[in-house]
Amino acid sequence: MEDNSKTAFAEMFRQRTKKFVVDNIKFFRTLPPTEEAKIIGRQLLRSSSSVGANYRAACRARSQAEFHAKLSIVVEEADEALFWMEVLIDAGVVTESSLSILADEASQILKIASASRKTVSKNNDAQ
């Protein structure tokens, strides 16, 4: 991949992870006013906001090792966000359909970040 296409992809993914955060904030505002919804919702907000913040930090990494570390956090937090979404659904706090778009986006972000992390690991092993 050329540097220009890498830069374009990184910017697109940075915007995508930021939108993921904003979409989760908007979803949080729709949760029922129960204690469990707010507690689990806050956990979802923390993990989803960490996805955007850590990808942004990864884009500013000073080394491949730092990039890999930040990308690992993105993977971990995207997976955690999916977990909290599943909990909200399984506990009957929200319907599956109300979270389907967000859950799909979390899954896609997780897959992309995991694949990127794997590529970085392979490139580091080859050096």
Side-chain angles (χ1 to χ4, degrees), residues 27 54 67 76 80 96 104 106 108:
F27 172 75
N54 279 289
F67 181 77
E76 187 177 317
E80 184 177 333
E96 189 170 350
D104 183 57
Q108 288 182 37

Side-chain angles (χ1 to χ4, degrees), residues 1 9 13 55 64 67-68 71-72 75 109-123:
M1 197 183 288
F9 175 82
F13 198 61
Y55 186 72
Q64 285 290 81
F67 181 77
H68 185 274
L71 215 47
S72 294
V75 168
I109 287 170
L110 178 59
K111 287 176 186 173
I112 292 166
S114 294
S116 296
R117 183 177 63 170
K118 190 179 242 181
T119 300
V120 170
S121 291
K122 283 182 187 176
N123 289 345

Side-chain angles (χ1 to χ4, degrees), residues 20-93:
F20 179 66
V21 175
V22 172
D23 289 346
N24 273 280
I25 292 168
K26 290 176 181 176
F27 172 75
F28 178 80
R29 291 176 183 155
T30 70
L31 288 172
T34 62
E35 191 63 23
E36 67 272 14
K38 295 302 177 191
I39 290 168
I40 298 165
R42 280 188 207 95
Q43 292 295 115
L44 174 58
L45 275 180
R46 285 185 188 100
S47 56
S48 63
S49 60
S50 185
V51 168
N54 279 289
Y55 186 72
R56 186 177 183 128
C59 291
R60 302 274 186 250
R62 296 172 299 244
S63 67
Q64 285 290 81
E66 187 178 353
F67 181 77
H68 185 274
K70 293 296 180 184
L71 215 47
S72 294
I73 295 169
V74 172
V75 168
E76 187 177 317
E77 297 293 342
D79 189 51
E80 184 177 333
L82 270 170
F83 171 78
W84 293 119
M85 290 177 197
E86 291 168 9
V87 168
L88 285 167
I89 293 165
D90 292 351
V93 176

